[in-house]
């Protein structure tokens, strides 16, 4: 919600991706506060992955002003803290865990939207409806359920490493569907991200 709010205020998607890329670092910090300190390989992977995301989005301007900056800061902090804390809470079993989280978040976002005075201006075009259906099926039912499973069965730093992978996937999709080309800096950044996830997957050392 914080990321969407900031982007509506003019924050570029590259800057948003960079800020979201800090989430595994915050997760490691909160995990250490709860007594789960990252090992050397994990710590190296966290730093390398964030550096890769930073390289991938080099040159973006913040934009959006103070409220956007606050929203960008709070979003990864709250997500990271909630991810770590949820491992210590009595959560519903199975798929009820992500379902409860998404339903609660949806109701909260509807409330925020009403406070901000947002309204449906008209019937969404077909392309927007198809995008919505895709996000419901793959972004929520598939991806978020997989994330909830990882939180229960893997270390928080590894579970949140998707924040490093997402920008790289977006770049590759741009190559495939938009005919974009990759320079040496982009290839280096993607290699750093891939290697960082490999380090995180090795486990605590």
């Amino acid at each position: 919600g914080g990321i969407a709010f900031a982007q509506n205020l003019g924050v570029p998607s590259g800057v948003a991706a960079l800020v979201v890329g800090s989430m595994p670092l915050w997760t490691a910090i909160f995990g250490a506060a709860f007594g789960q300190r990252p090992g050397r390989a994990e710590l190296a992977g966290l730093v390398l992955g964030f550096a890769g995301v930073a390289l991938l989005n080099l040159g973006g301007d913040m934009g959006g002003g103070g409220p956007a900056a606050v929203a960008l800061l709070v979003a990864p902090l709250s997500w990271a803290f909630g991810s770590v804390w949820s491992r210590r809470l009595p959560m519903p079993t199975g798929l009820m865990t992500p379902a409860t989280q998404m339903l609660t978040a949806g109701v909260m976002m509807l409330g925020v939207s009403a406070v901000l005075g947002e309204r449906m201006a008209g019937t969404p075009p077909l392309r927007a409806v198809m995008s919505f259906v895709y996000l419901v099926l793959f972004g929520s039912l598939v991806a978020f359920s997989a994330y909830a499973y990882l939180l229960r069965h893997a270390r928080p730093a590894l579970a949140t490493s998707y924040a490093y992978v997402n920008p790289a996937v977006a770049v590759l999709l741009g190559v495939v569907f938009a005919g974009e080309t990759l320079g040496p800096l982009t290839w280096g950044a993607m290699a750093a991200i891939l290697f960082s996830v490999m380090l995180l997957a090795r486990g605590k050392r």
Side-chain angles (χ1 to χ4, degrees), residues 39-61:
R40 286 177 295 178
E42 244 184 349
L43 191 59
L46 289 168
V47 174
L48 184 61
F50 183 71
V53 174
L55 282 176
L56 206 57
N57 297 281
L58 199 62
D61 297 322

Side-chain angles (χ1 to χ4, degrees), residues 15-101:
V15 174
L18 178 58
V19 173
V20 172
S22 69
M23 187 174 52
L25 296 174
W26 291 116
T27 303
I29 292 172
F30 288 129
F34 279 100
Q36 190 173 12
R37 299 182 61 183
R40 286 177 295 178
E42 244 184 349
L43 191 59
L46 289 168
V47 174
L48 184 61
F50 183 71
V53 174
L55 282 176
L56 206 57
N57 297 281
L58 199 62
D61 297 322
M62 175 62 76
V70 172
L72 283 178
L73 176 64
V74 171
L77 274 171
S78 59
W79 187 277
F81 180 77
S83 296
V84 175
W85 194 26
S86 68
R87 294 165 61 91
R88 299 173 173 269
L89 295 175
M91 305 293 287
T93 57
L95 294 178
M96 278 304 297
T97 297
T100 303
Q101 293 175 3

Side-chain angles (χ1 to χ4, degrees), residues 180-196:
E180 298 175 355
T181 57
L182 305 183
L185 187 64
T186 303
W187 282 113
M190 293 176 64
I193 291 171
L194 178 62
F195 189 60
S196 73

